[in-house]
Amino acid sequence: MPRTRALPLLAGLALGALLAALGVTAVVPDAWSVALAGDVSPDPGPAPATATLTPAAGPAPPAGTPFAAPAATTTIPPPTTAVPAATRTTATTTPPRPTPTITRPAPTTAPHPVAAGPVAEVVALTNRARAEAGCAALTTDARITRAAQAHSDDMAARDYFEHDSPEGRSFADRVAAAGYPAPGAENIAMGQRTAQAVVQAWLDSPGHRRNIEDCSLTTIGVGLSTDGYYWTQDFGR
């Protein structure tokens, strides 16, 4: 085959291979003839391919632009499952229950508290007089108080006014019988309606004042019967 005809054929074959690689369908007519300049006796042979380029996708490239297969486009769909927002949990704190307050009475410093009223006033006025004389205050003792109250009640009930009972029991006997081991002295009075009046009557009497101002005495107990106002003041050492 002359060289001038072989070149177009090789070019056609190369173009067909390229189109096949690119996935382009080539349509070749059944009968064709090519007239080559300067070729007097045409030699029938394979006709040059007339290709109709059909791109796989997308518009055809403009004239004069080299054809290139379109790049594959990958579309990543957005996630269909939305990540739920974090749910905040507010901590609920139950306040502690208050501890119940237990109020207990404070212990008394006085071993034997004095009853309120005239009896307590007699003790207070007696200690005031002792302080003026330079003596320590007396402490009220329940045992001596019981002995003094029993003597005042006995004098009012049996209508007598003495240190000794009709049976001859002295104040020392009564105080010791009440459980106090060291009796000291005794003052009695009758008819005074107030604590101030009876203490003043005792202070006006030298013997009774001597008992009140005896610094060796340490305890006291007072009894009162309002039936006739019998007063008894007993002391202990």
Side-chain angles (χ1 to χ4, degrees), residues 60-67:
T65 301
F67 175 78

PDB file of all heavy atoms in Angstrom, residues 60-67:
ATOM      1  N   ALA A  60     -21.250  18.472  25.116  1.00  0.00           N
ATOM      2  CA  ALA A  60     -20.118  18.253  24.225  1.00  0.00           C
ATOM      3  C   ALA A  60     -19.136  19.378  24.374  1.00  0.00           C
ATOM      4  O   ALA A  60     -19.521  20.534  24.554  1.00  0.00           O
ATOM      5  CB  ALA A  60     -20.600  18.157  22.762  1.00  0.00           C
ATOM      6  N   PRO A  61     -17.811  19.089  24.319  1.00  0.00           N
ATOM      7  CA  PRO A  61     -16.832  20.171  24.456  1.00  0.00           C
ATOM      8  C   PRO A  61     -16.889  21.102  23.263  1.00  0.00           C
ATOM      9  O   PRO A  61     -17.277  20.694  22.171  1.00  0.00           O
ATOM     10  CB  PRO A  61     -15.504  19.411  24.522  1.00  0.00           C
ATOM     11  CG  PRO A  61     -15.772  18.107  23.853  1.00  0.00           C
ATOM     12  CD  PRO A  61     -17.198  17.789  24.108  1.00  0.00           C
ATOM     13  N   PRO A  62     -16.525  22.358  23.444  1.00  0.00           N
ATOM     14  CA  PRO A  62     -16.543  23.308  22.329  1.00  0.00           C
ATOM     15  C   PRO A  62     -15.574  22.881  21.230  1.00  0.00           C
ATOM     16  O   PRO A  62     -14.659  22.107  21.465  1.00  0.00           O
ATOM     17  CB  PRO A  62     -16.123  24.631  22.977  1.00  0.00           C
ATOM     18  CG  PRO A  62     -16.297  24.428  24.452  1.00  0.00           C
ATOM     19  CD  PRO A  62     -16.123  22.956  24.683  1.00  0.00           C
ATOM     20  N   ALA A  63     -15.807  23.446  20.023  1.00  0.00           N
ATOM     21  CA  ALA A  63     -14.942  23.129  18.884  1.00  0.00           C
ATOM     22  C   ALA A  63     -13.535  23.568  19.167  1.00  0.00           C
ATOM     23  O   ALA A  63     -13.301  24.653  19.695  1.00  0.00           O
ATOM     24  CB  ALA A  63     -15.469  23.826  17.601  1.00  0.00           C
ATOM     25  N   GLY A  64     -12.560  22.698  18.793  1.00  0.00           N
ATOM     26  CA  GLY A  64     -11.163  23.022  18.997  1.00  0.00           C
ATOM     27  C   GLY A  64     -10.662  22.701  20.366  1.00  0.00           C
ATOM     28  O   GLY A  64      -9.503  22.929  20.669  1.00  0.00           O
ATOM     29  N   THR A  65     -11.554  22.198  21.284  1.00  0.00           N
ATOM     30  CA  THR A  65     -11.134  21.882  22.646  1.00  0.00           C
ATOM     31  C   THR A  65     -10.891  20.399  22.724  1.00  0.00           C
ATOM     32  O   THR A  65     -11.744  19.604  22.310  1.00  0.00           O
ATOM     33  CB  THR A  65     -12.207  22.285  23.648  1.00  0.00           C
ATOM     34  OG1 THR A  65     -12.446  23.677  23.525  1.00  0.00           O
ATOM     35  CG2 THR A  65     -11.775  21.959  25.074  1.00  0.00           C
ATOM     36  N   PRO A  66      -9.735  19.946  23.229  1.00  0.00           N
ATOM     37  CA  PRO A  66      -9.486  18.513  23.354  1.00  0.00           C
ATOM     38  C   PRO A  66     -10.536  17.895  24.236  1.00  0.00           C
ATOM     39  O   PRO A  66     -10.898  18.443  25.272  1.00  0.00           O
ATOM     40  CB  PRO A  66      -8.088  18.430  23.952  1.00  0.00           C
ATOM     41  CG  PRO A  66      -7.460  19.755  23.671  1.00  0.00           C
ATOM     42  CD  PRO A  66      -8.583  20.742  23.655  1.00  0.00           C
ATOM     43  N   PHE A  67     -11.026  16.749  23.824  1.00  0.00           N
ATOM     44  CA  PHE A  67     -12.090  16.088  24.572  1.00  0.00           C
ATOM     45  C   PHE A  67     -11.481  15.367  25.776  1.00  0.00           C
ATOM     46  O   PHE A  67     -10.462  14.711  25.675  1.00  0.00           O
ATOM     47  CB  PHE A  67     -12.834  15.095  23.685  1.00  0.00           C
ATOM     48  CG  PHE A  67     -13.849  14.296  24.432  1.00  0.00           C
ATOM     49  CD1 PHE A  67     -15.065  14.857  24.750  1.00  0.00           C
ATOM     50  CD2 PHE A  67     -13.552  12.995  24.820  1.00  0.00           C
ATOM     51  CE1 PHE A  67     -15.992  14.106  25.427  1.00  0.00           C
ATOM     52  CE2 PHE A  67     -14.491  12.258  25.503  1.00  0.00           C
ATOM     53  CZ  PHE A  67     -15.724  12.805  25.807  1.00  0.00           C
TER      54      PHE A  67
END
